[in-house]
Amino acid sequence: MTDAAVIDAIGHHLPEARETNDELARRIDTSDEWIRTRTGIRARSRAGDDEPTSVLATRAGREALGRATNGGADVDTVIVATTTPDMKCPATAPVVASDLGLENTATFDINSACTGFLAGLATAAGLITSGNSRAVLLVGAEKYSSIIYPQDRGTSPIFGDGAAAMVLRPGYRQQAGAIGRVHLGSDGRLWALAHVLSGGSAQPLAADPHDPFLRMDGRATYRHAVARMTDSCQRVLKDESLTAEDVDLLVAHQANARILTEVARELEVPAEKALVDLTDIGNTAAASIPVALSRAQEAGVLRGGETVLLTAFGAGASWGSTVLRWPELTSPNLTTTEGPNR
Ligand code: COA
């Protein structure tokens, strides 16, 4: 009997366009030097007007399905983790399922901001181990440029657009790629750390031009992100009877390079084992962890057998962590010179 969900395939899609720090500095009061030293970001990915979240998600989903066992023919659930759905209703997942030609699938979104992909992993694993789903396509997809107030220098430099998708199917706890315990938590009292005021039932219409866009208390977010990701990682390591020394790769939500460094230091994971995958794309929120994993797989950083620690912190204030042994996956781009990001 199956007792775990296992990772079968992964893929990602990043829009081609980038807004560099210098370009940003031409329209807001900032500088390349300020952004690089505070965040580690040099450019952020920007989807076009004709590329809503569902388009990015569908492209990532198609890549993952193309690498999945049987082309993912048995996928019966599509979950999209996103803070930037195409529209308020319906969810983005049914649009993605339809665009991928997946009929009669269960579809829903998860809105847990940057923690969304980890909440999605826990959900997908529950659906599979309970027998409610044969295979799940889990997508993290964001078009944060759609909720960034163009003149806001606290958020404009940070966020980018992108998507990544994973196919999960039934397997065994001892198998590489098995999803074990996902530690999830939140402190709802801190919901105002990062929020979009209007467009919901509390305030349908904007009273101020900034209301439809993200407001973020950057400094407080930074502090809570470091503390919560560290604590959550320590819990999952303890649950799995592992220590920081067992970790081959720390893939934290790509919020900001300084946050990544600090979490690694707090955990006593050597800095070279903390993946940094935001320099050319920025923070892609719910997409950042799977994009980082997919790019690490394509670059040969992940080959199979590595102990990978995943952790995230996001609006809500929510957080999550899990640790897993990376599986050997089919990655066509390893054997060709062409493909995304080459
Ligand atoms: N360019 C230049 N100066 C800027 C600026 C920008 N883009 N943004 C803010 N500043 C200025 C401020 O006005 C302030 O000036 P002052 O000291 O004269 O008042 C100074 O820089 C410090 O501002 P502060 O907001 O305290 O900066 P910070 O060191 O906290 O860095 C962030 C700001 C946003 C980079 C940082 O807080 C951060 O990365 N937070 C985490 C955000 C994040 O990762 N969110 C996603 C989590 S899911």
Side-chain angles (χ1 to χ4, degrees), residues 13 22 40 89 96 111 132 138 165 200 212 226 245 267 285 299 313 342:
H13 174 78
D22 285 333
C89 180
V96 173
N111 176 352
N132 280 316
L138 170 62
V226 172
E245 282 182 18
L267 290 171
F313 179 86
R342 281 177 191 265

Side-chain angles (χ1 to χ4, degrees), residues 29-30 34 38-39 114 153-154 157-159 216 218-219 221-222 253 255-256 258-259 283 313-314:
D29 181 16
T30 189
W34 193 96
R38 301 278 174 140
T39 70
C114 305
R153 62 182 189 162
I158 292 178
F159 294 97
M216 181 177 72
R219 188 159 281 198
T221 301
Y222 188 112
H253 161 54
N256 165 326
R258 280 159 62 218
I259 291 180
N283 169 349
F313 179 86

Side-chain angles (χ1 to χ4, degrees), residues 101-170:
L102 297 170
E103 290 170 11
N104 298 317
T105 48
T107 53
F108 56 92
D109 288 3
I110 288 182
N111 176 352
S112 189
C114 305
T115 311
F117 194 78
L118 283 169
L121 272 184
T123 307
L127 286 168
I128 288 171
T129 52
S130 63
N132 280 316
S133 182
R134 276 175 296 145
V136 175
L137 178 70
L138 170 62
V139 190
E142 300 280 16
K143 185 175 179 178
Y144 254 67
S145 57
S146 67
I147 57 164
I148 296 301
Y149 189 56
Q151 305 312 320
D152 184 355
R153 62 182 189 162
T155 54
S156 281
I158 292 178
F159 294 97
D161 305 329
M166 199 179 255
V167 176
L168 296 124
R169 62 179 59 257

Side-chain angles (χ1 to χ4, degrees), residues 75-317:
V75 165
D76 57 8
T77 306
V78 176
I79 304 172
V80 176
T82 186
T83 334
T84 52
D86 281 16
M87 52 198 130
K88 259 189 76 66
C89 180
T92 300
V95 180
V96 173
S98 163
D99 289 348
L100 288 170
L102 297 170
E103 290 170 11
N104 298 317
T105 48
T107 53
F108 56 92
D109 288 3
I110 288 182
N111 176 352
S112 189
C114 305
T115 311
F117 194 78
L118 283 169
L121 272 184
T123 307
L127 286 168
I128 288 171
T129 52
S130 63
N132 280 316
S133 182
R134 276 175 296 145
V136 175
L137 178 70
L138 170 62
V139 190
E142 300 280 16
K143 185 175 179 178
Y144 254 67
S145 57
S146 67
I147 57 164
I148 296 301
Y149 189 56
Q151 305 312 320
D152 184 355
R153 62 182 189 162
T155 54
S156 281
I158 292 178
F159 294 97
D161 305 329
M166 199 179 255
V167 176
L168 296 124
R169 62 179 59 257
Y172 302 96
R173 197 69 213 266
Q174 298 310 318
Q175 238 177 303
I179 306 301
R181 166 119 205 271
V182 184
H183 172 251
L184 295 172
S186 76
D187 183 350
R189 293 170 302 178
L190 298 174
W191 66 263
L193 273 185
H195 66 282
V196 176
L197 210 54
S198 67
S201 58
Q203 190 187 307
L205 300 177
D208 175 281
H210 202 138
D211 287 353
F213 300 98
L214 182 72
R215 284 185 169 91
M216 181 177 72
D217 179 343
R219 188 159 281 198
T221 301
Y222 188 112
R223 214 179 53 245
H224 289 293
V226 172
R228 292 304 189 175
M229 286 198 279
T230 303
D231 177 67
S232 174
C233 283
Q234 285 165 340
R235 282 171 193 243
V236 287
L237 287 174
K238 193 166 169 235
D239 281 355
E240 301 293 335
S241 304
L242 297 171
T243 69
E245 282 182 18
D246 297 309
V247 175
D248 296 310
L249 200 63
L250 170 63
V251 182
H253 161 54
Q254 302 289 306
N256 165 326
R258 280 159 62 218
I259 291 180
L260 302 179
T261 308
E262 234 173 281
V263 171
R265 196 176 51 227
E266 292 282 329
L267 290 171
E268 298 182 14
V269 168
E272 62 275 14
K273 291 186 177 179
L275 193 73
V276 178
D277 186 52
L278 47 60
T279 315
D280 62 327
I281 56 173
N283 169 349
T284 57
S288 93
I289 288 178
V291 165
L293 290 171
S294 183
R295 296 215 292 179
Q297 164 77 25
E298 282 193 357
V301 173
L302 286 172
R303 293 170 179 271
E306 298 85 359
T307 297
V308 183
L309 178 58
L310 308 180
T311 188
F313 179 86

